[in-house]
Amino acid sequence: EELSVIRQQGGHDNLRYPMDNVIRDLEKNFNVPWPQTTWQLPTTCAVIGCSGDGSLDVGLEPLLDKLLERINTASGPYQMFEFLGDMVLFESNAGQMQLRYLEEVPLRHFHARYQGFPRLTWVFRYNDFFHGPKVLGEGRVGATRAQDAHRSHFLHPMLAYFPSGEENATMRHWLVEDVFTQWNGQDDRVPLGKFLKRVAASVMNMTADV
């Protein structure tokens, strides 16, 4: 399967990405964890902005910053779009919500490994219909505004939230295509922050019911 993906997405130049994954996965046998960043969030209304003012609580700022940093700099998910991506795991522990950010993972395998956790992923992807003459045609640009990001044609970031035990995403968020691959503006940051608040609210509600 991985060799098939390599052929489709750049041949042997991209062999290093799945090889890195194999090495990282084998390192767990020597107690070397997958590259990750962790945060602790208090499971309170403040985290998800219960005041309704629309602002992003400071508790989610590190996650927002990390996502945008990775989206703007990560090479593996860009080169091997829809195969490699980043995954965020939400783990409840003694009144705290721990976020584990795993970088550049083979998504299919990690979804199976962590299906018991609420999880957020992001990948780069093309529009399903962006091929053939359309690639060079007048309609090659699918979207130019954040509110139309889901209509993007060219390679663009897509985030998806999967509740615990679910194989299918229940929430998605797109960042609008950009030929310069830069997603640093307020039109990127603000909608993504609102999406993270909805994800956090869903996770909090789910863990409260357990």
Side-chain angles (χ1 to χ4, degrees):
E1 177 191 353
E2 291 190 356
L3 287 177
S4 175
V5 172
I6 292 168
R7 293 191 188 101
Q8 295 171 17
Q9 301 181 347
H12 296 293
D13 287 344
N14 283 340
L15 183 61
R16 62 191 176 103
Y17 296 113
M19 289 305 298
D20 284 346
N21 280 188
V22 170
I23 292 171
R24 288 172 175 174
D25 211 28
L26 289 174
E27 285 180 332
K28 71 178 184 294
N29 298 321
F30 300 93
N31 297 317
V32 178
W34 196 275
Q36 59 188 273
T37 305
T38 61
W39 301 276
Q40 294 285 343
L41 294 179
T43 53
T44 64
C45 273
V47 172
I48 58 175
C50 292
S51 62
D53 62 2
S55 61
L56 183 68
D57 185 85
V58 66
L60 289 173
E61 284 283 357
L63 176 58
L64 176 60
D65 291 340
K66 181 68 173 181
L67 284 167
L68 288 174
E69 175 200 350
R70 289 285 299 160
I71 286 171
N72 280 283
T73 62
S75 61
Y78 187 84
Q79 295 290 338
M80 302 198 70
F81 51 89
E82 294 193 77
F83 177 73
L84 293 182
D86 289 0
M87 177 178 284
V88 184
L89 302 176
F90 297 86
E91 303 169 286
S92 180
N93 182 23
Q96 297 283 321
M97 181 64 64
Q98 177 171 286
L99 277 61
R100 256 204 299 161
Y101 193 110
L102 304 171
E103 298 184 7
E104 205 164 293
V105 303
L107 286 170
R108 180 176 177 181
H109 298 301
F110 271 57
H111 272 303
R113 181 181 299 180
Y114 294 110
Q115 189 173 348
F117 294 88
R119 57 208 185 277
L120 174 71
T121 65
W122 73 263
V123 296
F124 281 108
R125 71 183 308 273
Y126 288 98
N127 187 290
D128 291 337
F129 304 103
F130 189 60
H131 54 79
K134 183 178 289 187
V135 174
L136 298 176
E138 292 183 0
R140 62 185 177 276
V141 177
T144 58
R145 303 182 304 169
Q147 56 264 44
D148 299 322
H150 60 288
R151 297 190 175 96
S152 294
H153 288 169
F154 192 65
L155 208 58
H156 59 283
M158 185 193 74
L159 296 92
Y161 168 67
F162 300 78
S164 174
E166 297 292 333
E167 296 183 1
N168 298 316
T170 57
M171 287 188 278
R172 297 181 189 273
H173 179 77
W174 292 260
L175 275 70
V176 70
E177 60 187 307
D178 186 306
V179 68
F180 299 109
T181 62
Q182 295 293 315
W183 293 276
N184 292 312
Q186 287 301 301
D187 285 347
D188 304 308
R189 187 178 185 88
V190 173
L192 179 54
K194 292 179 179 179
F195 174 72
L196 293 181
K197 286 178 65 174
R198 294 197 301 273
V199 168
S202 178
V203 173
M204 300 300 181
N205 290 335
M206 183 175 61
T207 55
D209 293 337
V210 174

